[in-house]
Amino acid sequence: MENKLRLLLDSIRPPSRGSAASGLARLNDLTKPPGSLGRVEDLALTLWRIQGQRPLKADPARIYTVAGDHGVAAQGVSPYPQEVTRQMVLNFLAGGAGINVFCATAGIDQQVVDAGCLGETFPPHPKLISRRIKDGTGDFTQGPAMSREDCLRCLLLGAELAESAAAEGLACLGTGEMGIANTTPATALYCAFLGFAPQDIVGPGAGLAPERLAHKSAVIAAGLARHSAVITANDPVAILAALGGLEIAVLCGLILGAAKNSLPIVIDGFISTSAAAAALAMAPQARDYCIFSHGSAEPGHKLVLEALKAAPLLDLGLRLGEGTGAALAIFLLRCAANMFNDMATFSAAGVSGPGSS
């Protein structure tokens, strides 16, 4: 598995199919003042660099909502009981969750991945990928969240999902997750990878009462202290295994696999961004394939995005997760592709360009 991961990381290259100069030349020839569509033009240029040919494509698109449970939930860091993870997976499969509605509205395929939920195996379902690595993580205040081997299995599962999506002809992927207490491992990963102190970025997650935030911060600090040697050694896989979640590790592998297969991948909110932080620690060159959908209402997310030099597309006060922000942002990506493909040029439309007299 170590060799497979190394091959995956070594295969990721910066996008170079379309030169930035040629993409910008087309954008500036479209019937509009140069740069007047702002970030939409930036998105089109990102797609051009990845794909390098017209028509640019954002469709078909798919969001993977990956689910897993967390042993650290036993420390009282979430207001919701752990069984909600399983209940929400069933809700996803029944089509009743926010992500289902957003994907249906935006015409995006969604698949649900059981990477590590507690309880019995879920009944078969066309939208379910049942690939459970283990029944939830361990409590990272007591030991590692998962073994290195299980972490590698998660990473390779995520990469496999991206590989399969590319083979199916998917043009764009998005990340989503479900796991009660998962803002706690996400925050711990930000501290380990980006050097934050827990109290600087800890937040309420699913609605933890303000008076409980100090306790959540202390739990994260205890986990960081227990795994300080691993953090100091700066091995991204070991850090992810010690502090992360099964769903976070699968999403990390999905991001790496998307980059390997030259697929743009839209990163959802607070939890998904922690998967991106881990992926970029392993393969910084994957950065150019990542599109950050939105700034989460989770208070530390703004600081994290700044540390990653990531500019999110949307600021809507979202904090649900599941992939909801990614679904909204994929629509913008579609608009960017269609603008690049279908807008008339000055010469074709008989419109005078800038500087004409």
Side-chain angles (χ1 to χ4, degrees):
M1 287 190 293
E2 296 280 1
N3 287 339
K4 287 183 178 179
L5 178 62
R6 177 45 53 196
L7 289 172
L8 170 63
L9 299 179
D10 289 345
S11 69
I12 298 172
R13 299 283 185 271
S16 59
R17 292 182 177 175
S19 74
S22 61
L24 190 60
R26 172 158 180 86
L27 287 170
N28 288 342
D29 193 33
L30 300 178
T31 49
K32 58 174 180 56
S36 59
L37 286 175
R39 295 288 303 283
V40 179
E41 296 191 35
D42 295 340
L43 281 176
L45 198 54
T46 295
L47 282 179
W48 172 253
R49 291 188 63 222
I50 293 171
Q51 297 175 357
Q53 61 182 8
R54 292 172 60 202
L56 295 184
K57 295 180 180 179
D59 291 298
R62 174 181 294 157
I63 290 174
Y64 289 98
T65 303
V66 188
D69 275 304
H70 296 266
V72 76
Q75 298 294 330
V77 291
S78 173
Y80 285 88
Q82 199 157 33
E83 55 264 30
V84 170
T85 302
R86 183 177 184 83
Q87 291 165 357
M88 282 303 300
V89 169
L90 294 171
N91 192 26
F92 296 147
L93 298 177
I99 184 58
N100 302 115
V101 174
F102 283 15
C103 281
T105 302
I108 299 167
D109 183 49
Q110 184 208 9
Q111 293 193 356
V112 182
V113 183
D114 175 12
C117 295
L118 294 171
E120 296 179 1
T121 302
F122 292 101
H125 189 282
K127 293 291 187 182
L128 176 67
I129 299 173
S130 186
R131 295 290 298 274
R132 191 178 300 184
I133 303 298
K134 60 178 295 190
D135 292 346
T137 60
D139 179 351
F140 67 56
T141 68
Q142 306 302 310
M146 64 189 105
S147 69
R148 185 180 184 93
E149 290 73 21
D150 284 340
C151 187
L152 288 167
R153 289 186 181 95
C154 288
L155 291 168
L156 295 175
L157 169 57
E160 178 189 324
L161 295 174
E163 195 83 32
S164 296
E168 289 178 53
L170 272 292
C172 175
L173 301 180
T175 67
E177 44 61 42
M178 178 63 216
I180 289 301
N182 63 5
T183 59
T184 297
T187 303
L189 290 172
Y190 292 136
C191 293
F193 284 122
L194 302 175
F196 289 107
Q199 65 270 18
D200 292 336
I201 56 169
V202 73
L208 193 67
E211 61 271 17
R212 295 291 294 167
L213 289 182
H215 168 71
K216 183 176 178 180
S217 182
V219 169
I220 294 165
L224 295 171
R226 173 172 281 274
H227 302 290
S228 59
V230 171
I231 296 168
T232 301
N234 201 29
D235 176 347
V237 175
I239 291 171
L240 184 57
L243 298 169
L246 297 158
E247 81 278 35
I248 294 172
V250 170
L251 290 176
C252 177
L254 183 71
I255 294 165
L256 296 171
K260 180 205 169 191
N261 286 279
S262 296
L263 290 174
I265 183 158
V266 182
I267 310 300
D268 195 43
F270 191 81
I271 312 302
S272 288
T273 304
S274 73
L280 298 182
M282 297 178 197
Q285 62 273 31
R287 175 66 180 81
D288 290 334
Y289 299 91
C290 296
I291 297 165
F292 292 84
S293 64
H294 71 282
S296 170
E298 190 73 6
H301 198 221
K302 182 176 186 294
L303 294 174
V304 166
L305 290 170
E306 289 173 353
L308 292 173
K309 296 182 172 55
L313 295 172
L314 301 168
D315 184 4
L316 299 172
L318 305 179
R319 57 182 182 87
L320 177 59
E322 304 178 356
T324 46
L328 295 171
I330 286 171
F331 178 78
L332 294 180
L333 200 62
R334 183 181 299 152
C335 290
N338 291 347
M339 171 202 67
F340 192 93
N341 297 333
D342 301 336
M343 244 180 115
T345 60
F346 283 108
S347 54
V351 175
S352 297
S356 301
S357 59

